[in-house]
Each structure stands twice: as C-alpha cells, then as structure tokens.
Amino acid sequence: MVQSGKSEKTVVRRLVSDIREFSAEINDQADKMARETDDLNRYWDDPQYKAFRAYMEGIIGDLVKATSVLNEAADTVEQRELKEI
C-alpha cells in the first residue's frame, strides 16, 4: 500500500525533532564539560591545567559548531521537505 503524504510528513517531523533533541543534549553536555573544566581550576592551577583547559575549549567549540550544523540541517529538511510532501 502506498503511504499518504501525511504519514511521510510525520516521519520528517520526527526526524527534525530527533535531530534538534540530540543537538540540545550535546549542547547541554558541552556546557557541563565547560563548567567541570572551570571547576577543576580550584584544585589544579598550573601550566598543565592551562593546556588542558585550552584542549577542552577546543573540543567544546567543535561540539558547538557541529550542533550548529545539525540545527541548520534540521531547518533545511523542515523547510524544503515538508513543503514538498
């Protein structure tokens, strides 16, 4: 049986929602990593900590950029695909 456009829209909406939820969870975890990295400075204050912090900031920055790409993809899917279905 051929599926109607309505069910396909539901699938696309779920996909977009799942992408956004995943992205939000990654951002939450990145924020947590940043806070925990900052908290370490209370106990660890030397050049190694500064190197560790720079490393973590790089990872966190990459995560934020990646989730931005995911959000853009979700927006694109939502805008293009839902109009066509």
Side-chain angles (χ1 to χ4, degrees), residues 25-42:
E25 182 61 31
I26 295 297
N27 280 325
D28 289 346
Q29 291 301 315
D31 290 342
K32 182 179 177 184
M33 289 169 58
R35 286 191 308 272
E36 290 177 357
T37 298
D38 288 342
D39 289 346
L40 279 174
N41 191 238
R42 292 186 294 180

Side-chain angles (χ1 to χ4, degrees), residues 5-65:
K6 184 175 182 180
S7 64
E8 291 175 11
K9 281 186 178 184
T10 301
V11 170
V12 172
R13 284 187 183 116
R14 281 190 202 142
L15 172 65
V16 169
S17 176
D18 288 348
I19 290 170
R20 289 187 176 137
E21 285 178 32
F22 178 73
S23 178
E25 182 61 31
I26 295 297
N27 280 325
D28 289 346
Q29 291 301 315
D31 290 342
K32 182 179 177 184
M33 289 169 58
R35 286 191 308 272
E36 290 177 357
T37 298
D38 288 342
D39 289 346
L40 279 174
N41 191 238
R42 292 186 294 180
Y43 310 103
W44 183 19
D45 190 15
D46 66 10
Q48 284 182 330
Y49 170 77
K50 290 181 177 125
F52 171 76
R53 182 183 176 108
Y55 173 76
M56 292 302 294
E57 287 173 347
I59 290 173
I60 293 164
D62 289 346
L63 287 171
V64 170
K65 287 177 192 171

